[in-house]
Amino acid sequence: MEKLNVAVFFGGCSPEYSVSLSSASGVILNLDSEKYRVVLVGITQEGSWYYYTGPVDKLLNDTWCNTRDCIPAVISPNRGERCLLLLKPEGISHIPVDIAFPVLHGGNGEDGTIQGLLELAGIPIAGCGTLASALGMDKDRAHKLVSLQGIRVPKHLVLTPDTPFAEAESFAGEIGYPLYVKPVKAGSSYGVTKISAPDQLSAALSLAFHYDTQALVEENIDGFEVGCAVLGNDDPVTGEVDEIELSGGFFDFTEKYTLKTSAIHVPARIEPEKSDEIKKKAICIYKALGCSGFARVDMFLTPQGEVVFNEVNTIPGFTEHSRYPGMMKAAGYPFRTVLSRILELALENNQ
């Protein structure tokens, strides 16, 4: 069987650039080399695109972008070509692309931007398409759509830099402290602050606006966070539900990538009936947002047993130790098998 060319996109002009390098390394090292030929496309933090031919370890130490290993490149937008154009000094050459696998976290990669380009080019996408990616990144719109499914979401208020501060203060007083201030569109907990008093609100909003032009003031949900990996198109399956155990604070960037004072339990330490409920709601949310391929649905479980939606990650972390592969592995799906299925789903979705 002839190998398919899989263009793995990594890096990106997002605060989550370094996270992407780790995730992409995990994908590259675990793709089935008998079925797929990896075509590496690196995007710098400034937004320059390159065809990368060097070793994987240069991604992990962020030395990949160099003249020896890189050739300037772009995706051809011509729908019939399905190729990566290499912009060499002697002229333009091309590499066919059968499937595109964006492993880009945050803005300019996970938010529907690159998915739109790939859809325009007619290249099958591993994972969610343009609309679902954009909705998954937008916490406000995702919450509104999910609430229409009868699933509880945290109370929140959307603010812009021009919103009178008194509005934020008034809403914060209504929902009570502690509460969260978040960018509407950002990942990996960048710009997120948990505050316990009114005098912390202004600084928290300033930080959130550093990452987005809109910010949320959001209700705190008592309980703990649970997640559910979803895999599939029309008839998705789930991994085992996981549980985040915190010693204090919230699951911020440091805890997500170091687990200094927190732990992740897979399967979650909850009753089977509650786990089944979470899985069903995860699939409901997945479908409501138009997801395809794969995504991780994050929720809260309150002391009263109520499931509350938090967010959808349409490109979750993809190292071997990340939550998504961990949940799928616990359900009997090894990482390599999951990656192969994701690529099969991309082709099915493009028929």
Side-chain angles (χ1 to χ4, degrees):
M1 184 179 70
E2 186 175 351
K3 294 182 181 180
L4 296 177
N5 281 1
V6 179
V8 175
F9 294 80
F10 65 87
C13 36
S14 157
E16 297 175 73
Y17 167 88
S18 61
V19 183
S20 170
L21 298 186
S22 296
S23 287
S25 300
V27 169
I28 295 161
L29 293 172
N30 286 280
L31 280 176
D32 189 339
S33 58
E34 293 185 3
K35 294 180 180 180
Y36 307 109
R37 182 185 299 107
V38 178
V39 177
L40 298 181
V41 183
I43 304 174
T44 68
Q45 288 179 289
E46 295 72 36
S48 299
W49 288 39
Y50 294 98
Y51 170 51
Y52 175 67
T53 59
V56 176
D57 58 8
K58 288 188 179 180
L59 271 68
L60 292 171
N61 60 24
D62 195 13
T63 58
W64 68 271
C65 189
N66 60 79
T67 55
R68 174 182 294 182
D69 299 320
C70 291
I71 299 170
V74 293
I75 285 288
S76 170
N78 291 342
R79 195 167 182 82
E81 292 184 351
R82 293 188 178 184
C83 69
L84 182 72
L85 301 177
L86 308 186
L87 311 179
K88 301 177 180 178
E90 64 271 22
I92 297 175
S93 62
H94 72 278
I95 298 175
V97 175
D98 297 301
I99 307 171
F101 198 151
V103 191
L104 302 164
H105 302 303
N108 302 303
E110 192 179 351
D111 58 357
T113 49
I114 195 168
Q115 289 79 7
L117 172 62
L118 294 168
E119 287 185 7
L120 181 69
I123 298 173
I125 304 167
C128 294
T130 303
L131 179 58
S133 298
L135 289 172
M137 183 62 63
D138 191 313
K139 297 177 181 66
D140 174 48
R141 289 172 174 82
H143 280 198
K144 287 174 178 174
L145 286 171
V146 170
S147 68
L148 294 176
Q149 305 304 309
I151 297 173
R152 182 184 163 191
V153 301
K155 299 174 184 176
H156 73 268
L157 176 69
V158 179
L159 306 168
T160 69
D162 295 330
T163 303
F165 183 66
E167 289 188 25
E169 285 184 305
S170 175
F171 183 76
E174 288 177 22
I175 61 174
Y177 293 88
L179 55 80
Y180 287 91
V181 177
K182 307 177 178 181
V184 170
K185 296 181 286 294
S188 289
S189 296
Y190 278 105
V192 177
T193 309
K194 183 177 183 179
I195 63 174
S196 57
D199 60 359
Q200 300 168 341
L201 182 58
S202 179
L205 285 170
S206 295
L207 179 62
F209 287 133
H210 178 74
Y211 291 95
D212 192 20
T213 56
Q214 293 180 306
L216 295 177
V217 175
E218 185 176 279
E219 170 191 16
N220 174 66
I221 302 297
D222 290 329
F224 55 89
E225 187 173 335
V226 291
C228 187
V230 184
L231 175 70
N233 290 336
D234 296 330
D235 190 21
V237 298
T238 68
E240 290 298 330
V241 174
D242 77 354
E243 167 199 345
I244 298 171
E245 180 185 12
L246 295 174
S247 62
F250 70 100
F251 206 45
D252 61 11
F253 181 88
T254 300
E255 289 300 330
K256 284 180 177 178
Y257 299 107
T258 67
L259 296 177
K260 279 186 176 181
T261 63
S262 57
I264 296 176
H265 301 277
V266 187
R269 300 170 299 176
I270 57 179
E271 294 297 322
E273 295 78 11
K274 187 57 63 176
S275 179
D276 289 342
E277 179 188 346
I278 290 168
K279 290 175 183 179
K280 289 177 183 177
K281 288 189 174 178
I283 289 176
C284 177
I285 292 165
Y286 187 85
K287 291 183 175 181
L289 298 180
C291 296
S292 57
F294 65 94
R296 192 188 77 227
V297 182
D298 294 339
M299 293 161 276
F300 298 107
L301 184 60
T302 72
Q304 295 75 34
E306 187 176 16
V307 178
V308 183
F309 173 59
N310 182 21
E311 63 180 0
V312 167
N313 285 271
T314 54
I315 306 181
F318 262 117
T319 70
E320 290 189 60
H321 306 292
S322 296
R323 293 175 64 196
Y324 186 94
M327 286 185 271
M328 296 307 298
K329 182 179 179 180
Y333 302 95
F335 194 17
R336 178 165 294 200
T337 301
V338 169
L339 292 174
S340 292
R341 183 58 184 147
I342 286 170
L343 296 175
E344 292 166 2
L345 290 164
L347 295 175
E348 291 175 13
N349 213 29
N350 204 63
Q351 291 175 353

